[in-house]
Amino acid sequence: MSLAIEIVQLLIQSADSWLFEGSRSGLSDREWMALRFLARANRFSRTPTALASFLGTTRSAASQIAAVLQSKGLMVRKPSAEDKRSISLCLTSEGERFLERDPINALRDQLVALELPDQSRLRDTLRRVLDGLDVAQRRHRSDVCSECMFLIESGEGKDRRFKCRLFRKSLAQKDTALLCAYFEGRD
């Protein structure tokens, strides 16, 4: 049990990179989380509802966070290409440049310095821990399309194709590395 407590304490200390009081570079930690999510979200997940789900908050609170990002020129609201009744939350080029000052980059740089096998083990271990927490707390998490049960792959080489069964839409290979709020893990 003492090893588990030590790991929890280390995770809490590392969380200082992305959970903080006040603001850093003019954004609160929740606004940074929203900006990061929108930068990595697939086209189906750039909605106020998906953002609220990712942040674990109400749609109203997520819309307020999006309004702050929009007022700072970091994001814009656009009519959805998929459903004209809804909107997409899209980063501006200023928002993409702003992410270069993300406080979490220091943690990312430390992880990049690890050997690749250590990075893979840490990722896989944290995924298992998060899966257990999600089940225990009955919540749903976002993850990358390439790990989702809805992703269908066909063909090989240049003829390789990807499709989301849930949305019945084609995906570019690069989109399979993006976050999806509708993710369902493979069993």
Side-chain angles (χ1 to χ4, degrees), residues 35 38 46 66 69-79 87-93 95:
L35 194 65
L38 294 174
R46 290 187 211 122
L69 297 176
Q70 186 170 9
S71 73
K72 294 179 183 277
L74 305 175
M75 180 223 90
V76 293
R77 297 171 193 260
K78 294 182 179 178
I87 60 164
S88 289
L89 306 175
C90 303
L91 288 189
T92 61
S93 55

Side-chain angles (χ1 to χ4, degrees), residues 7 13 23 26-27 66 68 79 85-86 101 110 119-121 153 165 175:
I7 293 168
Q13 289 174 7
S23 69
L27 296 181
V68 169
R85 298 168 295 166
S86 64
R101 296 184 285 180
Q110 291 303 309
Q119 288 181 35
S120 296
R121 275 192 299 277
E153 296 181 46
R165 285 186 305 163
D175 293 338

Side-chain angles (χ1 to χ4, degrees), residues 15 19 22 64 90 95 105 139 141-142 162 172 185:
L19 295 174
Q64 289 173 355
C90 303
N105 290 348
R139 69 178 178 200
R141 75 174 162 92
S142 300
F162 299 90

Side-chain angles (χ1 to χ4, degrees), residues 30-68:
R30 297 289 253 186
E31 292 160 356
W32 275 112
M33 288 173 68
L35 194 65
R36 288 180 204 118
F37 173 74
L38 294 174
R40 292 203 53 221
N42 67 19
R43 70 183 190 260
F44 309 118
S45 300
R46 290 187 211 122
T47 66
T49 301
L51 179 60
S53 175
F54 178 79
L55 294 174
T57 189
T58 64
R59 191 175 186 279
S60 174
S63 290
Q64 289 173 355
I65 290 169
V68 169

